[in-house]
């Protein structure tokens, strides 16, 4: 098994390169090449669209142009727009960020850059407190999991033993976040509680490794574990409403493609729909938030985390983490049937 130090060195080797520049000239040569201030660079189209966004042309507008025009025609329009912009406006100050291995630009960011050195200076102080460290690196963006070795039981619910890990996500030059990642031992599902988040407008507040270290240490507070245990115990007292069930099914379907068979495994879809069909007329006349399905609310939440944590389909890391975070948002809300029973 690779050690933390080995993984750290590999991450440092893959860290993107960046330079803060005043951009006063942009000319798109093609969808993979761009002239910035008279110098030619390989560039991904995402980088080009981010620059266009800076002068008021949204990615959605470029997409619409691409539906009606070929790439050469789109680039001609964008180049005219850049020329007109710089005739009337000052240069655009920001960071051009490039892939160290592929030598191409992939992101433009006006925010501060947190270097890997700053992040690892914080992690170096605490990594020995954890049983393992899992890294995922995609084009410089880091997803990291500090794995605990202690299991915590939820009182009265022996099947709900969990391990409270710590997750970290850094989208280079755009966003930094820390999460509490609860790992349910009975099925190895993971659910994520967002705790510390900074977007591109607030990255400058992370001005040293001590800021990150302080937040990491706060995540060890047992109050997070107690809060989580209380929420699980609460939602297990109710079934999912038809409104909640349909919302979750729609959310998960977006990632499934054509094969929807896992819906029955994850959410007992056939059983739920059979039960609902017997009261079809009544259901049509009732607020869906008041209609109970046979699916327990906590079982529904676990269906989302199960899907996000295992390979039913090939999800990207950011898609997995997004769904695990969405699952915690479901856990945080009071189930419909509990809310309406109190009214």
């Amino acid at each position: 098994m690779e050690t933390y130090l080995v993984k750290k060195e590999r991450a440092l080797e893959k860290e993107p390169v960046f330079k803060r520049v005043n951009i006063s000239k942009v000319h798109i040569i093609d969808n993979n090449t761009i002239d910035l201030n008279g110098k030619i660079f390989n560039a991904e189209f995402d980088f080009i669209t981010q620059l266009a966004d800076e002068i008021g042309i949204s990615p959605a507008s470029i997409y619409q142009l691409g539906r009606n025009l070929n790439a050469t025609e789109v680039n001609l329009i964008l180049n005219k727009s850049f020329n007109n912009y710089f005739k009337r406006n000052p240069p655009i100050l920001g960071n051009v960020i490039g892939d160290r291995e592929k030598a191409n630009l992939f992101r433009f960011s006006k925010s501060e850059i947190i270097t890997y050195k700053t992040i690892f200076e914080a992690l170096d102080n605490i990594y020995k407190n954890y049983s393992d460290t899992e890294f995922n690196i995609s084009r410089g963006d880091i997803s990291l999991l500090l794995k605990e070795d202690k299991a915590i039981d939820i009182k009265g619910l022996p099947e709900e033993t969990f391990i409270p890990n710590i997750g970290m996500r850094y989208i280079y030059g755009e966003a930094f976040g820390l999460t509490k990642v609860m790992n349910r031992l009975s099925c190895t599902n993971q659910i994520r509680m967002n705790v510390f988040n900074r977007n591109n407008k607030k990255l400058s507040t992370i001005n040293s490794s001590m800021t990150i270290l302080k937040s990491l240490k706060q995540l060890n507070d047992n109050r997070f574990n107690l809060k989580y245990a209380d929420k699980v115990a609460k939602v297990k007292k109710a079934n999912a409403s038809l409104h909640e069930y349909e919302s979750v099914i729609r959310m998960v379907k977006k990632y499934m493609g054509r094969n929807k068979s896992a819906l029955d495994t994850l959410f007992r879809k056939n059983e739920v729909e059979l039960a609902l069909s017997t009261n079809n007329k009544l259901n049509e006349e009732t607020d869906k938030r008041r209609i109970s399905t046979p699916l327990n609310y906590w079982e529904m939440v676990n269906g989302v985390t199960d899907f996000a944590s295992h390979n039913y389909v090939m999800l990207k890391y950011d898609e997995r983490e997004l769904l695990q975070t969405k699952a915690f948002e479901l856990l945080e809300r009071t189930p419909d049937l509990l809310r309406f029973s109190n009214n």
Side-chain angles (χ1 to χ4, degrees), residues 24-49:
S24 56
K25 176 189 174 184
V26 174
H27 182 79
I28 304 165
I29 298 171
D30 55 47
N31 285 355
N32 300 301
T33 318
I34 193 168
D35 180 335
L36 295 179
N37 295 344
K39 294 183 179 180
I40 308 297
F41 297 91
N42 294 328
E44 296 182 11
F45 195 64
D46 282 350
F47 175 81
I48 295 171
T49 58

Side-chain angles (χ1 to χ4, degrees), residues 125-143:
N125 285 278
I126 65 163
Y127 80 91
K128 291 181 180 178
N129 299 333
Y130 297 86
S131 61
D132 192 17
T133 308
E134 177 185 304
F135 281 91
N136 292 304
I137 303 174
S138 176
R139 201 180 55 179
D141 299 343
I142 293 181
S143 179

Side-chain angles (χ1 to χ4, degrees), residues 60-160:
S61 298
I62 296 175
Y63 171 76
Q64 288 299 325
L65 285 172
R67 294 184 66 180
N68 302 305
L69 304 171
N70 63 40
T72 300
E73 292 169 324
V74 172
N75 291 339
L76 181 63
I77 291 171
L78 292 177
N79 283 332
K80 286 183 177 179
S81 299
F82 279 119
N83 286 336
N84 290 334
Y85 177 87
F86 287 118
K87 285 178 182 177
R88 301 181 178 88
N89 296 281
I92 300 170
L93 176 63
N95 299 300
V96 292
I97 303 172
D99 187 300
R100 185 181 295 271
E101 295 178 321
K102 297 180 181 179
N104 63 345
L105 305 179
F106 67 85
R107 184 171 296 155
F108 178 77
S109 169
K110 299 188 78 171
S111 65
E112 297 293 324
I113 299 291
I114 306 171
T115 64
Y116 284 3
K117 181 179 180 227
T118 300
I119 293 171
F120 285 115
E121 280 178 351
L123 293 172
D124 287 347
N125 285 278
I126 65 163
Y127 80 91
K128 291 181 180 178
N129 299 333
Y130 297 86
S131 61
D132 192 17
T133 308
E134 177 185 304
F135 281 91
N136 292 304
I137 303 174
S138 176
R139 201 180 55 179
D141 299 343
I142 293 181
S143 179
L144 177 146
L145 187 68
L146 295 169
K147 296 183 177 180
E148 283 272 17
D149 58 2
K150 62 182 179 185
I152 297 174
D153 295 321
I154 298 179
K155 187 177 180 180
L157 300 171
E159 75 279 13
E160 297 302 340

Side-chain angles (χ1 to χ4, degrees), residues 6 17 22 35 49 62 68 70 74 79 87-88 98 159 161 165 188 190 241 267 270 304 325:
V6 171
V17 292
N22 271 309
D35 180 335
T49 58
I62 296 175
N68 302 305
N70 63 40
V74 172
N79 283 332
K87 285 178 182 177
R88 301 181 178 88
E159 75 279 13
T161 301
N165 305 307
T188 65
Q190 290 181 352
S241 71
F267 306 104
N270 292 338
V304 178
T325 303

Side-chain angles (χ1 to χ4, degrees), residues 113-242:
I113 299 291
I114 306 171
T115 64
Y116 284 3
K117 181 179 180 227
T118 300
I119 293 171
F120 285 115
E121 280 178 351
L123 293 172
D124 287 347
N125 285 278
I126 65 163
Y127 80 91
K128 291 181 180 178
N129 299 333
Y130 297 86
S131 61
D132 192 17
T133 308
E134 177 185 304
F135 281 91
N136 292 304
I137 303 174
S138 176
R139 201 180 55 179
D141 299 343
I142 293 181
S143 179
L144 177 146
L145 187 68
L146 295 169
K147 296 183 177 180
E148 283 272 17
D149 58 2
K150 62 182 179 185
I152 297 174
D153 295 321
I154 298 179
K155 187 177 180 180
L157 300 171
E159 75 279 13
E160 297 302 340
T161 301
F162 67 94
I163 295 177
N165 305 307
I166 291 177
M168 187 202 80
R169 182 76 187 275
Y170 178 41
I171 303 175
Y172 209 88
E174 284 193 359
F176 179 89
L178 294 172
T179 57
K180 197 77 172 179
V181 184
M182 305 305 190
N183 192 68
R184 188 181 186 222
L185 292 186
S186 64
C187 53
T188 65
N189 290 358
Q190 290 181 352
I191 189 168
R192 292 178 180 266
M193 182 195 320
N194 281 329
V195 178
F196 177 88
N197 284 297
R198 295 291 183 270
N199 59 22
N200 54 8
K201 294 180 180 179
K202 295 182 179 179
L203 285 182
S204 59
T205 62
I206 306 175
N207 50 22
S208 74
S209 60
M210 292 305 296
T211 305
I212 298 173
L213 182 60
K214 181 180 178 182
S215 298
L216 284 168
K217 288 182 175 179
Q218 288 175 341
L219 282 174
N220 279 327
D221 193 322
N222 196 47
R223 284 178 296 182
F224 288 112
N225 303 331
L226 295 175
K227 178 182 177 184
Y228 174 75
D230 287 344
K231 289 182 182 299
V232 173
K234 180 179 179 180
V235 302
K236 288 201 77 159
K237 296 176 182 177
N239 282 3
S241 71
L242 180 56

